[in-house]
Amino acid sequence: MEIPDSFSNTTIPLVGITFDTILFAVIIAVLGFVVVKILGLIFRRSLVRASRLPELVVEFLISFFSILLYVLLLLLILAILGADISSLVLGLSAVIGLILGFGLQSTISNLAAGVWIAALRPIDKSEFVEVNGITGTVVTVGIMATELLKPDNTYVTIPNSLVWGSPVINSTRMETRRADVTVGVAYASDLDRAIRVATSLMESHDMVLPTPPPSVVVTELADSSINLSMRAWTATPDLWAVKFDLTKKIVTAFREAGIEIPFPQMDVHLDSPE
């Protein structure tokens, strides 16, 4: 069934656009949306196959490429509907300049910081980091913000400018880490024996690396105890397992060796009245 010419040539009041023009704009919008999706997939596959870029950089470039295509599609649709694109671009430029003058400097800094983060990679996807006092696993670095997943499954979004402008502690970048366990022994205990027991415990542990060798050092003469620091090197994925296991087993090892782990205590002296 064909649409009558009188209907297709009918002009919508106030805007002066025919139904044919609107129909054509809708078709272009649908086709353009599909084309943008296809080009995004092609661009992704091309980056993955033709380069050795990290996944984080690939996602950043794909996001930027998709946004650019959507903006071009929007301008094309406006042109089909009869809008003056040149004046629109000039108007948008003026508005953007005005907004930038009143407070979008942070947006530009976030965008620039995102580029630097993706290029220099102080953090990467799936790494466990501490950024600006927030600890979590890196989920993604977007155009404007970095997203972390905390150990308690809390999702955190941090502006890129804060990430780039703050010290970053990366806990998983290196292959090995040192597990430190602090334990206190009574002042009356045999200190050399306590050090030998702690050292033997670390040397016999399956996940403790022989090089660098484990060590025990005296770190503090506290009010109620002499504090020892057990230092064992292990593979980074095994860090917390080693730390928790050594903390548990040192209690049993000291008990079997007759070495006391004291409770906090305080001596009170009372002077008798004359």
Side-chain angles (χ1 to χ4, degrees), residues 8-40:
S8 61
N9 293 327
T10 301
T11 301
I12 299 177
L14 301 180
V15 295
I17 303 175
T18 63
F19 285 103
D20 282 345
T21 303
I22 294 177
L23 181 60
F24 182 61
V26 171
I27 294 174
I28 293 298
V30 174
L31 292 177
F33 182 80
V34 175
V35 170
V36 169
K37 290 293 185 181
I38 294 175
L39 290 178

Side-chain angles (χ1 to χ4, degrees), residues 192-227:
D192 291 333
R193 186 181 183 188
I195 293 175
R196 289 195 300 269
V197 170
T199 303
S200 176
L201 174 63
M202 291 185 291
E203 290 176 343
S204 62
H205 199 285
D206 295 337
M207 290 185 288
V208 172
L209 301 177
T211 305
S215 62
V216 180
V217 296
V218 179
T219 58
E220 184 182 9
L221 301 178
D223 294 336
S224 303
S225 64
I226 301 176
N227 291 338

Side-chain angles (χ1 to χ4, degrees), residues 41-187:
L41 292 175
I42 295 175
F43 186 59
R44 175 188 290 273
R45 292 176 181 174
S46 299
L47 284 178
V48 173
R49 293 176 181 176
S51 67
R52 296 182 178 179
L53 293 175
E55 185 178 355
L56 197 64
V57 179
V58 173
E59 291 182 359
F60 179 83
L61 293 176
I62 291 173
S63 298
F64 185 81
F65 181 69
S66 298
I67 292 174
L68 179 61
L69 291 180
Y70 281 122
V71 170
L72 294 177
L73 177 61
L74 178 61
L75 292 177
L76 176 61
I77 293 173
L78 292 176
I80 293 175
L81 294 176
D84 187 357
I85 300 301
S86 59
S87 60
L88 179 62
V89 172
L90 291 176
L92 288 175
S93 301
V95 172
I96 292 174
L98 182 63
I99 295 175
L100 288 176
F102 283 98
L104 270 189
Q105 292 90 346
S106 60
T107 302
I108 300 300
S109 64
N110 285 330
L111 178 61
V115 174
W116 284 114
I117 293 171
L120 300 181
R121 297 173 57 213
I123 60 177
D124 209 342
K125 189 171 184 178
S126 300
E127 289 185 332
F128 191 80
V129 300
E130 179 180 343
V131 178
N132 201 35
I134 301 174
T135 302
T137 302
V138 180
V139 177
T140 184
V141 176
I143 296 177
M144 303 300 297
T146 297
E147 299 172 0
L148 301 181
L149 184 64
K150 297 178 64 177
D152 61 355
N153 212 32
T154 304
Y155 208 85
V156 183
T157 302
I158 308 174
N160 283 336
S161 59
L162 294 180
V163 177
W164 184 249
S166 302
V168 176
I169 301 175
N170 196 319
S171 299
T172 53
R173 179 65 59 92
M174 307 304 292
E175 294 182 358
T176 59
R177 291 279 307 279
R178 192 183 74 185
D180 294 349
V181 176
T182 299
V183 60
V185 298
Y187 275 91

